[in-house]
Amino acid sequence: MTARTKVKQALDEGKAGSTILVKGWARTIRNSKGVTFISLNDGSCLSGIQVVAEPDLDNYDEVTGIGTGSALAVTGLLQESPAAGQALELKAQQIEVVGGADQEYPMQKKRHTFEYLRTIAHLRVRSNTFGAVFRMRSALAQEVHRFFAERGFLYVHTPIITGNDCEGAGELFRVTTLDLAHPPLENGAIDFSKDFFATATGLTVSGQLEGELFAQAFSDIYTFGPTFRAENSNTARHAAEFWMIEPEMAFADLADDADLAEAFLKRLCRFALDHCGEDMQFFNTQIDKGLIQRIEAVAQASFARMDYGEAIERLKKAPVSFQFPVEWGLDLQSEHERYLTEQVVGGPVFILNYPKQIKAFYMRQNDDGRTVAAMDLLVPKVGEIIGGSQREERLELLEQRMLETGIAPESLSWYLDTRRWGSTPHAGFGLGFERLIMYLTGMENIRDVIPFPRTPRHAEF
């Protein structure tokens, strides 16, 4: 019995004259006089392999009636192809229809809009664009783990269900087993002591706080898992469920944090260019004409570093009018970030030391009393792609900041314990995995780089 060969292996390593078995789905079928051409793709690469079927097949009549989307097993002889754009094709000796598809199959040979394809997310993965997206997503996820493993970072699985709101924005999805029609009440309020966990819990918005605990034992750690935000936002950059990469380093300051973020992003850019070449070329041709040149520039760049105060001054002097105001103390908007990276620096730039009132409670307060040791990495075309900070390791200052922001210190007593016993300067950052994939593929909507997007009013599949 012939072992199955993946299409990628057949195209990359196959030799004319060899007999192979390939299995996949028919992307296109073209019947000509006395011959049928089938483009077969199994997802292993962007290209399909052309199957040539002739009337000497036992079931040739069945083959000529095959519908687009049908699953086939083809045994045949690899031979040099006279057609342009392909070195090899497969002369079919036997074709088995594993699973037929009729004319109702919604992925017929025509261009479909991304909006339409989202409505058939269970089938869109058979298209060229989404095949390329999810091959790259898989390859990049594996490279993330390799990057940290080579540096001796411990991989930590932080909890998905949590009792704390790391960002303090109150945008948690509630997790409960209570009867929502008749919840138990105590003085008119829901009595969460009767709930499964005996306290109010939600889906995590970040693994950072738990990651900090592990950094205080293992020095260098990272998390890579799903996070959730109940933010009622319908923009192309927001989803309710997404994946976050969050390293944390003990005995590290803001400069160390920026060094790691720079090395990390450059490594992923280089990897995409060197190891996802066929898919990157597809994105460069079909999705974003300047993609490869832009990613190559970032992979080779030395990332600039600029203080927030200087950034504000540069923006105030800009010979353009912004939609959003520019003042010290206000957060930077995407238009400001893009101006800084595209017009001022001409490449990636870290913006450092933000006003403390616009940043999270856990960020280390600087000696000026006005700013915290925070950083955002801005890149051309998208603006912010990584956000991080040195964490506040001083117990008294952290408790004070929690009170200022309305967080009860006793609610995070376990977090404060690491500042009581063996506290160290430490730092970390977060990179939204979907934002990274959008950046490296040129795809413009987060719904198109995650298998089954969860957004307001949408949780299909």
Side-chain angles (χ1 to χ4, degrees), residues 238-260:
H238 289 88
E241 177 183 352
F242 55 99
W243 286 64
M244 284 285 285
I245 302 156
E246 297 178 292
E248 201 73 36
M249 299 176 289
F251 307 103
D253 60 16
L254 191 62
D256 299 319
D257 206 25
D259 288 345
L260 182 72

Side-chain angles (χ1 to χ4, degrees), residues 94-141:
Q94 181 181 341
I95 297 180
E96 177 192 354
V97 180
V98 178
D102 58 25
Q103 294 304 309
E104 299 294 308
Y105 178 65
M107 298 278 293
Q108 298 297 330
K109 188 185 176 183
K110 64 176 183 176
R111 292 188 79 90
H112 298 290
T113 67
F114 290 155
E115 289 79 10
Y116 168 71
L117 290 173
R118 280 176 220 135
T119 69
I120 53 168
H122 56 310
L123 296 171
R124 68 176 180 171
V125 289
R126 297 193 198 176
S127 68
N128 282 340
T129 299
F130 290 96
V133 165
F134 294 118
R135 271 189 301 273
M136 281 196 59
R137 184 180 175 111
S138 173
L140 288 164

